[in-house]
Amino acid sequence: TQLLEQSPQFLSIQEGENLTVYCNSSSVFSSLQWYRQEPGEGPVLLVTVVTGGEVKKLKRLTFQFGDARKDSSLHITAAQPGDTGLYLCAGGKVVSTGNQFYFGTGTSLTVIP
Amino acid sequence: GAGVSQSPSNKVTEKGKDVELRCDPISGHTALYWYRQSLGQGLEFLIYFQGNSAPDKSGLPSDRFSAERTGGSVSTLTIQRTQQEDSAVYLCASSLGQGVIDTQYFGPGTRLTVL
């Protein structure tokens, strides 16, 4: 069962364009993380947000956690070829056995020079 | 310092054979996770170790899958009687075990192909 759905699944844009990736769920999460994964490598953490409505900026990337802590968005301004990769959101929950992270379905971004 | 390493990087096996995948976490990290990733897709949680606590095995898809972590460090994921649907990239991650704000550091994965 996939708790987190991402959209779009695939995105191909020209260098310089803006884009937004969405991560949606019907479940509430204690935290929401975004990772970027390049081919042949493991995901690398970009950001963690924990408060409903929280907005974090990382250079040209803006991350927002929904007020109800069920969804999140990633906005990239003036995309560059180096932004190409698979973007994954991950929701953190405290469960009876400890902590679990539920990963989204992924968004594959290609930025064309 | 060294990151998370996994071996082998690629494994091709025949249906019905057993395989072992190894993960060497970052030194000092108390938490270790195993995930499975199908081509270009999201990650599927398999198992989670935290310190000396009993592992969370809730994500293991069948009893053919098992994992152990020796001495709180190296972990081995074993798949018995492999099936073609087991083909995927198996990713290991380690962390400091800081709860839901944990930063997981991933290895490069083992690509398993079952013929």
Side-chain angles (χ1 to χ4, degrees):
Chain A
T1 302
Q2 202 78 48
L3 281 186
L4 284 164
E5 294 289 335
Q6 289 184 234
S7 61
Q9 185 178 0
F10 298 97
L11 190 55
S12 181
I13 62 172
Q14 293 292 133
E15 181 177 0
E17 291 183 351
N18 301 332
L19 67 114
T20 302
V21 177
Y22 299 93
C23 174
N24 295 301
S25 176
S26 57
S27 293
V28 176
F29 293 97
S30 300
S31 68
L32 201 295
Q33 299 179 319
W34 285 91
Y35 287 80
R36 181 170 70 205
Q37 183 179 22
E38 299 189 16
E41 300 180 7
V44 175
L45 181 69
L46 297 173
V47 76
T48 300
V49 286
V50 295
T51 304
E54 183 176 0
V55 177
K56 279 193 175 180
K57 293 191 175 183
L58 183 66
K59 297 183 180 177
R60 294 177 293 101
L61 279 61
T62 301
F63 306 86
Q64 183 164 9
F65 201 8
D67 291 341
R69 292 186 288 127
K70 293 182 179 182
D71 51 73
S72 180
S73 63
L74 158 60
H75 182 78
I76 301 179
T77 303
Q80 298 178 0
D83 296 328
T84 293
L86 180 68
Y87 288 81
L88 296 159
C89 63
K93 277 180 176 278
V94 178
V95 297
S96 58
T97 48
N99 305 300
Q100 271 205 22
F101 292 90
Y102 300 85
F103 279 80
T105 47
T107 294
S108 180
L109 171 65
T110 301
V111 181
I112 303 166
Chain B
V4 177
S5 61
Q6 294 186 243
S7 60
S9 55
N10 282 284
K11 177 72 177 179
V12 180
T13 190
E14 293 180 346
K15 178 181 172 181
K17 295 287 181 70
D18 298 350
V19 295
E20 285 189 352
L21 312 180
R22 177 186 169 105
C23 172
D24 285 85
I26 293 172
S27 178
H29 280 189
T30 60
L32 188 147
Y33 304 78
W34 281 98
Y35 296 92
R36 179 167 69 175
Q37 185 176 32
S38 298
L39 186 62
Q41 299 295 307
L43 277 61
E44 175 189 3
F45 166 77
L46 297 177
I47 189 168
Y48 160 59
F49 297 88
Q50 172 59 59
N52 296 320
S53 301
D56 177 352
K57 304 179 182 180
S58 60
L60 294 178
S62 77
D63 59 7
R64 296 187 295 105
F65 289 72
S66 63
E68 62 177 21
R69 188 178 185 191
T70 53
S73 181
V74 172
S75 178
T76 303
L77 177 68
T78 301
I79 309 173
Q80 296 178 312
R81 305 181 302 281
T82 52
Q83 303 295 312
Q84 289 183 333
E85 60 263 29
D86 298 335
S87 295
V89 175
Y90 289 81
L91 290 161
C92 170
S94 71
S95 72
L96 290 172
Q98 295 176 317
V100 293
I101 62 169
D102 226 3
T103 297
Q104 295 179 68
Y105 295 86
F106 284 84
T110 293
R111 181 176 297 278
L112 174 66
T113 303
V114 182
L115 302 177

